[in-house]
Amino acid sequence: MDNKRGCILITALFPLFIGGLIYLCFRSENILFFSWLRFVDFDYSFFRQINLKSTAMSSYIVYNLPHGLWVLSGLLLLRVVAESKILVFYSIVFIVISIGLELAQLFGMRSGTFDLLDLITIVVFSSIGLFVNNFIGRKKYAKV
C-alpha cells in the first residue's frame, strides 16, 4: 500500500473510531456493539464513566452523529479499495443502502426506530464523503 492510500485509509478509519467511541461511552449496553465487545472480552468500563448533560446537541451526538460518521468512513474506505472508474457506482450503492436501511425502519422491515435526523445526517455525511472523494480524485498526484 502506497503512502497516499495509507493516509486515506487512516483518514477513513478516524470517523469510524470516533463513532465507536461515542457508542462505547454513551449508548445502552443492550445493543449489538457491546455483545461484540463482550465476545472479545474487552473491558470498556473506563469509557462508561463519561457523562453528558442531556441537551438536544448531546442527543444528536449520541444517537445520530455515529451513523453519519460511519457512512463517511464507508465512503472514504471505498476510495481505498475501489478503482477510480467504478468508485462513483459503489458510492451511490453504498449511500442507497444506508438510506434504505433507515427507511426500512420506517416501514417496519428492519428493527429499530426510524429517525428523520438520522436520514438527514446520512445525506449530509454522504455529501461530505462524495466531496472529499471527488477532491482527492482531482489531485494530479493522486493515483488512488
Side-chain angles (χ1 to χ4, degrees):
M1 180 179 298
D2 59 21
N3 280 343
K4 183 72 173 168
R5 208 170 274 235
C7 288
I8 296 169
L9 177 63
I10 291 169
T11 303
L13 292 176
F14 185 71
L16 184 69
F17 176 74
I18 296 300
L21 270 180
I22 292 169
Y23 261 52
L24 192 59
C25 294
F26 306 114
R27 293 298 297 263
S28 165
E29 292 183 39
N30 297 328
I31 59 176
L32 182 62
F33 181 78
F34 287 95
S35 315
W36 297 338
L37 294 177
R38 286 187 290 272
F39 179 76
V40 297
D41 201 28
F42 180 79
D43 181 16
Y44 52 84
S45 58
F46 170 77
F47 296 96
R48 303 300 287 178
Q49 305 303 316
I50 301 169
N51 290 316
L52 280 180
K53 286 185 177 181
S54 185
T55 65
M57 181 56 81
S58 65
S59 179
Y60 177 81
I61 289 170
V62 172
Y63 296 106
N64 305 106
L65 182 61
H67 201 152
L69 290 170
W70 292 335
V71 168
L72 175 61
S73 180
L75 287 170
L76 296 177
L77 283 171
L78 283 174
R79 166 58 71 181
V80 175
V81 299
E83 295 291 326
S84 293
K85 296 173 186 169
I86 197 155
L87 178 64
V88 173
F89 172 75
Y90 284 139
S91 297
I92 291 169
V93 168
F94 185 82
I95 293 167
V96 167
I97 289 171
S98 298
I99 291 171
L101 289 172
E102 187 63 30
L103 289 175
Q105 292 176 346
L106 176 64
F107 299 109
M109 298 164 39
R110 180 174 181 248
S111 65
T113 305
F114 171 77
D115 187 350
L116 182 60
L117 205 45
D118 270 343
L119 202 55
I120 293 168
T121 302
I122 292 168
V123 170
V124 168
F125 279 79
S126 293
S127 300
I128 293 169
L130 291 173
F131 174 79
V132 170
N133 278 343
N134 188 42
F135 179 76
I136 292 169
R138 288 183 181 221
K139 294 285 188 186
K140 272 190 169 181
Y141 56 86
K143 293 199 175 202
V144 178

